[in-house]
Amino acid sequence: MAATANKSTALQTALSSALITRYSLPASATWLTHFLSSTRQPHPPLPALTSTAHFRILASDLTTSLSSDHAATLLPRDISNVATKELRLPGPVAVQILDIQDVGSSKWSQVEAIERVERGEEVRGREVIRTVAALEESDEGDAGGGGGRGRGRGSGANANANQATSASKRSQGPHKVVLQDAAGTNVLGFELENVPRLWIGEDGLSIGCKIVLQAGTVVRRGMVMLTARDVRVLGGKIEPWDKKWKEDRKKRLIEEATGNGNGEA
């Protein structure tokens, strides 16, 4: 019994060390114990176990999966104090995205972009075109009522439209985000320069996505300055949070644009 307990403790220690070394994710002892007990027996090799734990943390709420025992892996409690001219984070800090906003585009232009997607349209230059999904629906309708008219021509048009509009499916930025660490401390972050995947739309960040703020990341007047050098995107999302954010985004943009609390223009 003692040997089994020692083996389990050694595995938990090794897994904890691997998550910190590879991903800067200091998993809590409670979370690790639950994770190991829910993993198939006998346990797979450490590299495979580490990858599985990493995947599950990316889909979790960091306030429940990561340790908040060490100040060096957390945001300073007074990080949002605007009276502090500048400070630098002492060590890698894992945080999750609670909100993301494109502050480089007007609220109304973002509402219009959402409505174009709802209608199955995209913009290419000054031209409004149909998206792949919309074209496919149109082709299906033609096939039902016109003997397949337009089906052959549609496939090439679909491919061209998809390539031409891929960039327009991403917000341009710069972006402002709300970040949260394992202790539940929130802070605003601002995209000082282009950060890979830090955008709204195709291949962009989801709500609940995990990123690591590297040691030395600058915080000015209560806002984290985000640069490609200081941000490591781990990925992931929390499905209910992301779904809710997407459902409410258009309403919130209209409220912000009009100052109208009921979300109506």
Side-chain angles (χ1 to χ4, degrees):
M1 184 68 70
T4 301
N6 290 338
K7 184 178 180 180
S8 178
T9 300
L11 179 59
Q12 182 168 316
T13 301
L15 179 57
S16 175
S17 178
L19 287 169
I20 292 173
T21 301
R22 292 182 60 182
Y23 306 112
S24 300
L25 294 173
S28 72
T30 301
W31 187 89
L32 285 171
T33 299
H34 176 75
F35 169 73
L36 289 173
S37 67
S38 65
T39 305
R40 65 180 175 84
Q41 304 287 339
H43 293 303
L46 182 61
L49 197 62
T50 302
S51 295
T52 302
H54 169 239
F55 177 80
R56 292 194 186 179
I57 289 175
L58 295 188
S60 74
D61 180 349
L62 292 188
T63 62
T64 63
S65 58
L66 296 193
S67 171
S68 58
D69 295 337
H70 305 289
T73 63
L74 299 172
L75 300 170
R77 292 298 178 89
D78 62 345
I79 190 171
S80 296
N81 186 354
V82 295
T84 303
K85 184 176 180 180
E86 181 176 301
L87 62 85
R88 293 177 181 269
L89 298 182
V93 179
V95 294
Q96 56 194 3
I97 303 284
L98 298 186
D99 189 26
I100 178 170
Q101 299 178 37
D102 179 2
V103 297
S105 304
S106 72
K107 300 293 190 299
W108 281 121
S109 68
Q110 294 179 62
V111 170
E112 289 169 354
I114 292 172
E115 291 178 341
R116 282 196 299 272
V117 172
E118 292 173 346
R119 294 192 300 268
E121 299 173 352
E122 285 290 350
V123 172
R124 180 176 60 188
R126 296 183 178 180
E127 183 181 5
V128 177
I129 63 177
R130 303 293 297 278
T131 62
V132 174
L135 286 167
E136 289 176 345
E137 290 175 2
S138 177
D139 286 342
E140 289 173 0
D142 291 341
R149 177 171 53 89
R151 171 68 70 175
R153 182 180 59 188
S155 60
N158 289 358
N160 292 335
N162 189 42
Q163 294 174 1
T165 62
S166 60
S168 68
K169 293 179 182 178
R170 302 174 180 175
S171 58
Q172 298 303 303
H175 299 89
K176 184 169 68 174
V177 295
V178 178
L179 307 171
Q180 183 182 61
D181 70 1
T185 300
N186 293 0
V187 66
L188 289 176
F190 181 78
E191 186 182 24
L192 198 61
E193 61 182 48
N194 289 341
V195 176
R197 292 187 57 195
L198 183 56
W199 59 71
I200 302 167
E202 188 175 59
D203 298 325
L205 301 187
S206 301
I207 302 304
C209 176
K210 282 37 174 203
I211 69 174
V212 174
L213 304 175
Q214 305 289 9
T217 298
V218 176
V219 182
R220 295 196 181 105
R221 301 294 186 184
M223 185 172 292
V224 181
M225 301 291 104
L226 304 176
T227 67
R229 179 185 65 257
D230 294 325
V231 173
R232 178 186 179 191
V233 178
L234 298 182
K237 69 176 178 179
I238 299 178
E239 189 64 44
W241 297 3
D242 190 63
K243 181 180 179 182
K244 176 68 173 173
W245 182 87
K246 289 176 179 176
E247 290 173 347
D248 293 347
R249 182 171 175 240
K250 178 180 174 181
K251 177 182 177 181
R252 287 188 289 110
L253 285 168
I254 293 175
E255 289 176 350
E256 292 168 6
T258 62
N260 191 340
N262 60 16
E264 298 178 356

